[in-house]
């Protein structure tokens, strides 16, 4: 749910006709990136705001009945196929490469899947967003995956490795935030006892995340990375149900993008528009 901050930023980018050749999406960021690449302003916001209170979209009832807190059939098929139709043609013709971060449950490592056609690749988006304990593993090409945030929550290093000299990072946490060790490890250990590498990744996730924040800070200070983040804690959990709070968070992201736009353009003018 914190991803609505990201959705507000991306919708402002769409208003300004600001697009990028390389995009990296993790978890909710991967979901919202889909509507950004397909040039469908307000679709990401409506998906959450319109259906957050529908048990089929996100609920413990769905978790009990289907094994997924975010109902896989409703969220990844009925919504994009019927209720808020996804523009597949524009997505395919966009010229943007959407790279989706997932965690390989066998190795515990991050993988970066190329989502080029959501008629066939929607399972990659679902895999990237499948929270441990709240989702079933998603099998893509025979490999079981879970949320990309377990292994690489903010894939700036991957973008740099792939040759992108200037990077824009959208964060949903304020600058002083540091992740703490998961409080549900005993449950994780019971649930994923047959996946030792995954458990190791979960156990050390906070360390990797905080190291990445330090890396981002260094890249930002060096002038090669532009960061948009909340100025203070947003006070919204990942399963937030209050749609007024969610709308306010979307608006906050939009305004943060608006206020930083001139600085962002100055940043981009020194190179081609890649992120």
């Amino acid at each position: 749910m914190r991803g609505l901050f990201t959705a507000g930023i991306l919708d402002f980018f769409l208003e300004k006709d600001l697009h990028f050749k390389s995009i990296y999406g993790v978890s909710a960021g991967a979901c919202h990136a889909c509507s950004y690449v397909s040039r469908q302003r307000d679709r990401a916001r409506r998906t959450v705001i319109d259906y957050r209170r529908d048990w089929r979209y996100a609920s413990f009832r769905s978790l009990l009945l289907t094994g997924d807190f975010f109902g896989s059939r409703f969220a990844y098929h009925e919504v994009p196929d019927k209720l808020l139709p996804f523009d597949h043609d524009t997505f395919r013709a966009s010229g943007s490469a959407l790279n989706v971060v997932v965690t390989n449950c066998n190795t515990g490592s991050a993988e970066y899947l190329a989502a080029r056609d959501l008629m066939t690749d929607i399972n990659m988006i679902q895999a990237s967003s499948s929270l441990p304990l709240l989702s079933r593993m998603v099998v893509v090409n025979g490999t079981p995956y879970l949320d990309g945030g377990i292994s690489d929550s903010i894939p700036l290093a991957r973008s740099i490795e792939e040759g992108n000299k200037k990077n824009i990072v959208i964060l949903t946490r304020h600058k002083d935030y540091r992740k703490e060790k998961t409080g549900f490890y005993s449950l994780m250990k019971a649930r994923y006892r047959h996946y030792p590498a995954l458990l190791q990744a979960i156990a050390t996730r906070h360390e990797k995340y905080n190291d990445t924040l330090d890396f981002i800070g260094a890249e930002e200070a060096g002038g090669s990375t532009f960061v948009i983040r909340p100025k203070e804690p947003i006070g919204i959990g990942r399963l937030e149900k209050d749609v007024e709070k969610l709308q306010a968070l979307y608006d906050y992201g939009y305004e943060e993008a608006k206020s930083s736009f001139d600085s962002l353009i100055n940043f981009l003018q020194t190179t081609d528009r890649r992120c």
Side-chain angles (χ1 to χ4, degrees):
M1 293 301 112
R2 289 193 303 269
L4 272 179
F5 180 81
T6 302
I9 293 170
L10 296 180
D11 275 357
F12 182 81
F13 285 179
L14 287 177
E15 277 190 15
K16 293 297 184 179
D17 198 27
L18 183 62
H19 306 288
F20 303 90
K21 294 180 181 179
S22 300
I23 299 170
Y24 300 80
V26 186
S27 197
C31 292
H32 297 323
C34 294
S35 296
Y36 172 67
V37 173
S38 67
R39 315 294 196 252
Q40 290 176 275
R41 187 189 181 283
D42 205 39
R43 185 183 178 278
R45 183 196 69 84
R46 286 194 59 197
T47 298
V48 177
I49 297 296
D50 290 3
Y51 299 108
R52 179 60 187 93
R53 292 175 175 169
D54 189 317
W55 74 267
R56 298 171 298 170
Y57 178 72
S59 68
F60 285 102
R61 179 181 176 185
S62 174
L63 179 63
L64 179 63
L65 294 177
T66 71
D68 295 304
F69 183 89
F70 291 92
S72 60
R73 177 157 297 280
F74 187 79
Y76 296 100
H77 296 283
E78 188 164 348
V79 171
D81 293 345
K82 299 177 182 178
L83 300 176
L84 288 173
F86 188 76
D87 188 342
H88 294 282
D89 291 338
T90 299
F91 183 93
R92 288 189 290 261
S94 68
S96 296
L98 176 56
N99 306 286
V100 180
V101 186
V102 294
T103 300
N104 185 316
C105 296
N106 293 323
T107 66
S109 299
E111 293 185 11
Y112 307 87
L113 308 182
R116 300 296 179 261
D117 185 343
L118 294 190
M119 292 290 289
T120 56
D121 298 338
I122 192 65
N123 57 348
M124 298 179 184
I125 309 301
Q126 182 183 350
S128 183
S129 308
S130 292
L131 298 171
L133 297 182
L134 295 178
S135 306
R136 294 171 294 172
M137 294 177 180
V138 177
V139 177
V140 180
N141 296 327
T143 300
Y145 294 105
L146 279 174
D147 194 291
I150 298 170
S151 52
D152 193 357
S153 297
I154 316 166
L156 174 59
R158 175 70 175 190
S159 177
I160 294 172
E161 289 171 5
E162 295 193 336
N164 296 306
K165 304 300 182 183
K166 290 280 184 175
N167 293 273
I168 300 169
V169 175
I170 299 174
L171 302 177
T172 61
R173 298 288 197 175
H174 62 291
K175 192 168 186 177
D176 294 331
Y177 173 79
R178 288 297 182 272
K179 185 172 289 296
E180 297 181 355
K181 189 174 183 179
T182 179
F184 299 97
Y185 188 72
S186 59
L187 293 176
M188 302 275 194
K189 193 172 182 180
R191 176 75 175 270
Y192 304 117
R193 60 189 180 279
H194 300 303
Y195 297 89
L198 175 65
L199 285 172
Q200 177 64 21
I202 292 171
T204 59
R205 183 194 176 196
H206 64 294
E207 298 173 358
K208 292 180 290 185
Y209 186 98
N210 294 333
D211 287 344
T212 299
L213 290 178
D214 292 339
F215 175 67
I216 291 171
E219 292 295 309
E220 184 180 19
S224 63
T225 297
F226 191 96
V227 181
I228 304 177
R229 56 162 72 86
K231 289 185 172 61
E232 64 278 324
I234 58 178
I236 286 180
R238 63 175 57 188
L239 305 180
E240 180 66 56
K241 293 183 66 175
D242 188 326
V243 294
E244 291 184 359
K245 288 183 179 180
L246 294 172
Q247 177 64 53
L249 181 59
Y250 169 88
D251 294 339
Y252 183 27
Y254 180 93
E255 291 300 325
E256 284 299 300
K258 184 177 181 180
S259 65
S260 64
F261 186 67
D262 289 344
S263 297
L264 174 58
I265 292 303
N266 289 335
F267 169 81
L268 291 172
Q269 283 176 341
T270 62
T271 186
D272 60 351
R273 291 185 176 183
R274 294 194 178 194
C275 73

